[in-house]
Amino acid sequence: MTESSEIQQAVASYCRRNSLKNWHPLAALIDMDGVLYDSMPRHAQAWHRMMSEIGIQTDPDEFYLYEGMTGAATIDLLFERHLHRSATAEEVKQLYEKKSDYFRNFGARMPMPGAALMLRKLEDAGLKRVLVTGSAQGSLLTALEEDYPGAFLPGMRVTALDVTKGKPNPEPYLRGLEKAGVSPAEAVVIENAPLGVQAGHASGCFTVGITTGPIPAEKLREAGADIIFPSMQAFADNIETLLQGYDC
Ligand code: MG
C-alpha cells in the first residue's frame, strides 16, 4: 500500500528537482493500454502471432517492453533486428492492420479495474483529462466514450496519428500539455510502461507509474517514475492525497 507520507515525499522531491515552491496539478495526461484497459496481454499475443506469420520469432513478453511505442516503431525495431532493414510504409500499414485484426478478434475489451474511479475522482477534483496513447487502434479509441462516458472531452486526445516521435520521446506528452493548456509543473502523467514513464518524465510532468502487468516496479523507477502504485485500484483509492496539492 502506498502511504500518504510516501506521496508527500515524492511530491517534495519533484518540487526540489524543479525548484517549485508548491505543486497543484490542474491536468492529468493519461495513457490508455495497461492503464484504462487491461489490454496488454492481448496486444502481446497479437504482435507475437503476426510476427510469427512473417517468420520473425519473438517472445510474447518482450512486447510489454515496447509498450508505448507506435506500431510503426515496433515493426521497424523487429525488422531491423531480424531482417537488418527498416520496414516500408506499405509493410508497416499491412502488418499493423493485421496485428489490429488479431487484437480485435481476441475477445471483449476489458476496462482496467479502478480506472473508472480514478477518472471520476480526477473530474471531481476539477482536473482536465487528456488521453495520450501510442496506439492508433481504432477499436479501443472509439470504445472509450462507451466505457468511460464523459471522461475525455472532444479533442482531448493525442494518439499515434498526432505525433512524429512516439514514446519514449516526450512529444506525445508535450502535445497533451498543449491540449490541456497547462505547463509541465501543472500536470500529472499516468503510465504503466517503462517507455511511457520515460516520456512522461522527459516532458517534465510529475509521473505516476502503475504496475499492471509483468513489468516490475523497479523498471518504472529506473525510467523516472516519481511514484509507483501496485495497481490501478490502489492508485484510484489514494489519488485524493496526490491531487490535494502541496506547498513544498
Ligand atoms: Mg500503457
Side-chain angles (χ1 to χ4, degrees):
M1 203 62 186
T2 307
E3 303 294 336
S4 62
S5 62
E6 201 183 318
I7 296 174
Q8 224 165 327
Q9 277 171 23
V11 174
S13 115
Y14 175 84
C15 287
R16 271 196 305 278
R17 206 173 66 240
N18 293 283
S19 311
L20 301 175
K21 290 200 172 62
N22 55 62
W23 183 76
H24 295 275
L26 302 175
L29 311 181
I30 306 161
D31 175 46
M32 180 171 73
D33 287 297
V35 166
L36 299 180
Y37 289 101
D38 191 7
S39 44
M40 275 313 296
R42 287 194 292 142
H43 278 299
Q45 283 306 324
W47 276 115
H48 176 69
R49 182 169 163 192
M50 181 278 276
M51 285 292 170
S52 304
E53 281 179 6
I54 57 165
I56 294 182
Q57 292 315 312
T58 59
D59 173 355
D61 274 2
E62 74 176 279
F63 293 101
Y64 287 90
L65 294 172
Y66 310 148
E67 191 193 338
M69 284 167 63
T70 61
T74 302
I75 290 167
D76 246 348
L77 182 132
L78 291 166
F79 262 58
E80 290 289 355
R81 193 172 80 194
H82 292 269
L83 307 174
H84 310 291
R85 66 171 178 90
S86 49
T88 65
E90 187 54 29
E91 283 169 330
V92 166
K93 186 171 172 285
Q94 280 179 2
L95 296 176
Y96 190 66
E97 264 169 26
K98 185 176 259 209
K99 180 258 161 185
S100 300
D101 279 348
Y102 289 153
F103 175 81
R104 261 194 310 279
N105 293 332
F106 279 160
R109 58 183 190 263
M110 287 168 59
M112 183 67 75
L117 179 63
M118 168 193 76
L119 289 168
R120 196 159 58 243
K121 286 187 177 182
L122 286 171
E123 192 176 350
D124 289 349
L127 272 77
K128 293 181 184 164
R129 286 92 48 208
V130 184
L131 180 82
V132 180
T133 178
S135 178
Q137 187 97 30
S139 59
L140 277 190
L141 288 166
T142 50
L144 266 183
E145 184 56 26
E146 217 168 285
D147 293 324
Y148 301 107
F152 298 97
L153 296 179
M156 296 294 258
R157 54 172 68 176
V158 178
T159 76
L161 308 175
D162 302 313
V163 298
T164 52
K165 295 194 182 74
K167 304 169 189 177
N169 192 283
E171 187 187 346
Y173 282 114
L174 296 174
R175 292 284 94 75
L177 289 168
E178 283 168 15
K179 293 209 182 254
V182 303
S183 71
E186 294 170 326
V188 187
V189 162
I190 302 168
E191 264 290 350
N192 71 303
L195 296 180
V197 166
Q198 223 176 303
H201 179 72
S203 75
C205 298
F206 184 94
T207 303
V208 177
I210 303 167
T211 54
T212 61
I215 302 282
E218 201 39 49
K219 290 276 179 215
L220 301 185
R221 182 80 64 196
E222 284 167 14
D226 290 286
I227 192 161
I228 296 165
F229 289 85
S231 69
M232 178 52 77
Q233 192 64 55
F235 177 50
D237 290 343
N238 288 280
I239 196 169
E240 298 89 332
T241 319
L242 185 66
L243 300 185
Q244 71 194 16
Y246 290 93
D247 290 326
C248 304

